[in-house]
Amino acid sequence: MKKLLISSSAFALSLFLFSLSFFQVSAQNSSPAASTSTAGKSSNTDQNTVGRNQTTASNPSSDQAKPKRPPIFRANKDQIIQAQTKLKEKALYTGETTGKLDTATREALKKFQSSNGLKPTGTLNRATLEKLEIPLTDRQKEIPVSQSSYAAENDKSTPPQTPGESKRPPIFRASRDQVVAAQTLLKNQQFYNGEATGKLDDATREALRKYQQANGLKVTGTLNKITLEKMGISLTEKQRAVFGN
């Protein structure tokens, strides 16, 4: 009986050891496949990440690609009304103060700009507002004045000078606005009874002679620099640059 029990126990132990060996071999055979699968998934993930990074790098944002546009200067309605009023006072505009930049207002602006050293654009830009002494808004002050708003100084070519010929001095010419201001002053002082036309006609020249004689000036009948300064009429920037303050 003891021999039978020992034999049965030995058989059971052998069967257990055989089963254990079988499971260990199976586990070793399945590990490479699992490792290969994991590595494949990792590789695919890395490739996808690289692809997304390359796509992002090749498509920069539209904000970086497009250059920033400079701000556009625009006059408001109140400023246009003030400009129309001032142009009307200078006999450059005869319409109503509508606050709109219509054709008549643009034509008046061109005349004002031409006689004040500005480029005659017919627009109410910053340089023109400042010349008209119209206040700017806080937002407009942040926009710098464009140099293209000023008239070019070298528009007219200088003729060649003959050898031995002395250079002629520049001729002083009063602007239309200055003539209008002078006619108004002469009329207030009873030297002139005509209209403020902005033209140096015979009646205006005669009034200038009377004014010059009464104020100890050289009697020329012309609206020269000395006469303008005596009348308190401002010179244009071009006149100051050529003839001094």
Side-chain angles (χ1 to χ4, degrees):
M1 185 68 180
K2 288 182 179 179
K3 290 182 179 180
L4 180 61
L5 290 174
I6 292 171
S7 298
S8 299
S9 298
F11 177 77
L13 180 61
S14 299
L15 182 62
F16 172 75
L17 292 175
F18 175 78
S19 300
L20 183 61
S21 299
F22 176 79
F23 284 120
Q24 286 179 346
V25 172
S26 299
Q28 288 176 357
N29 292 336
S30 61
S31 293
S35 177
T36 303
S37 176
T38 303
K41 290 180 180 179
S42 177
S43 176
N44 291 336
T45 302
D46 291 341
Q47 289 177 357
N48 291 337
T49 303
V50 172
R52 285 196 297 270
N53 292 338
Q54 290 177 347
T55 303
T56 303
S58 62
N59 294 306
S61 63
S62 57
D63 292 338
Q64 295 177 349
K66 293 181 180 178
K68 189 176 180 181
R69 293 183 179 180
I72 299 173
F73 188 96
R74 286 189 176 89
N76 59 39
K77 184 172 182 178
D78 290 339
Q79 289 169 330
I80 297 173
I81 289 174
Q82 291 181 63
Q84 288 173 327
T85 302
K86 287 179 178 287
L87 292 170
K88 204 168 186 178
E89 291 172 355
K90 297 177 184 296
L92 296 172
Y93 178 68
T94 57
E96 298 297 326
T97 53
T98 59
K100 296 180 180 179
L101 279 174
D102 52 21
T103 303
T105 305
R106 291 184 184 277
E107 278 302 314
L109 283 170
K110 287 178 183 177
K111 293 176 183 177
F112 174 81
Q113 290 164 334
S114 296
S115 61
N116 285 274
L118 301 175
K119 190 174 181 180
T121 60
T123 59
L124 197 53
N125 50 38
R126 174 169 178 168
T128 307
L129 282 173
E130 290 177 343
K131 187 68 72 172
L132 287 167
E133 297 182 352
I134 296 173
L136 303 176
T137 64
D138 291 338
R139 184 179 181 83
Q140 289 170 342
K141 290 176 183 177
E142 296 175 358
I143 303 174
V145 64
S146 174
Q147 293 302 314
S148 62
S149 300
Y150 297 101
E153 293 292 335
N154 300 321
D155 287 342
K156 296 180 181 179
S157 57
T158 305
Q161 187 175 348
T162 305
E165 181 184 3
S166 60
K167 187 177 180 180
R168 294 181 182 180
I171 300 173
F172 187 94
R173 298 184 189 280
S175 68
R176 179 185 172 89
D177 288 343
Q178 290 169 332
V179 176
V180 169
Q183 287 172 327
T184 303
L185 185 144
L186 292 169
K187 196 169 185 177
N188 292 337
Q189 296 186 12
Q190 298 181 350
F191 290 109
Y192 176 69
N193 56 10
E195 297 296 326
T197 60
K199 297 180 181 179
L200 279 173
D201 51 22
D202 292 339
T204 305
R205 291 183 184 277
E206 185 61 33
L208 282 169
R209 291 189 187 97
K210 293 177 183 178
Y211 176 86
Q212 289 166 337
Q213 186 174 10
N215 286 272
L217 302 176
K218 185 177 180 180
V219 180
T220 61
T222 60
L223 194 54
N224 50 36
K225 177 177 178 285
I226 297 174
T227 306
L228 282 172
E229 290 175 341
K230 188 70 176 178
M231 289 179 164
I233 298 173
S234 301
L235 303 179
T236 65
E237 289 184 1
K238 187 173 183 179
Q239 290 169 342
R240 291 194 195 99
V242 176
F243 300 96
N245 294 329

